Amino acid sequence: MDSVAPGPDPLRRRKATTVLVIVSVVVLLLAAGAVFALSRTSNPAAGDCVVTSGGPTTPMAVRKIDCGAPEATYRVSPAPCPEGDYLAADDLCLSLDVVPGDCLKPVDYQGVSAFHTWPCDQGEVRRVTRAVDVADRAACDGGAAHVYAAPPRTVCLDR
């Protein structure tokens, strides 16, 4: 007598399909939540640090970054831009957030001049010689100065 192997249990197959659908929905909801949370926290606000990107033929883009990151170059100031040498980008007012000894490479984004922090021994750079919490060009003794009213800050560059 030949024995016939039993076929798959329809109830077991239905349960497995249901579990698979539920797990897939949960994973999709978690992924959507993560994307939403990241997009909300990536919008820079006053006090956040940012880095610029783009190039001579592309518009400047601004990305929020940890203030302790070496490439963090600018800090977002409250809008509208107060008096000073702010870099206006994406409806944001950006002031240099650097310390003496940092080196900055000038970059151009479709006619908009900005800086990137850069290794001092690579290429043509400007060195930060002084950074003080006052808005006063005289703090740079006649040298290149970037002055910001709010919060008050003056950044001096060589040459």
Side-chain angles (χ1 to χ4, degrees), residues 17-146:
T17 302
T18 302
V19 168
L20 183 61
V21 167
I22 291 171
V23 168
S24 298
V25 168
V26 168
V27 167
L28 285 173
L29 288 173
L30 287 173
V35 167
F36 178 73
L38 287 174
S39 68
R40 289 180 47 88
T41 59
S42 66
N43 293 332
D48 289 339
C49 291
V50 297
V51 64
T52 59
S53 62
T57 59
T58 58
M60 179 173 48
V62 175
R63 179 175 50 93
K64 182 177 171 181
I65 191 168
D66 180 64
C67 289
E71 62 271 19
T73 308
Y74 291 96
R75 188 173 297 264
V76 178
S77 295
C81 292
E83 187 177 324
D85 298 318
Y86 294 91
L87 175 62
D90 292 343
D91 298 324
L92 299 171
C93 298
L94 307 179
S95 60
L96 283 171
D97 187 45
V98 291
V99 297
D102 283 351
C103 289
L104 303 173
K105 179 179 180 176
V107 292
D108 181 65
Y109 303 108
Q110 291 186 331
V112 176
S113 296
F115 290 105
H116 280 232
T117 54
W118 206 256
C120 294
D121 62 349
Q122 293 184 9
E124 200 153 319
V125 295
R126 308 276 310 267
R127 187 177 298 268
V128 177
T129 58
R130 190 167 189 210
V132 293
D133 292 333
V134 297
D136 185 4
R137 274 189 205 292
C140 294
D141 298 324
H146 292 265

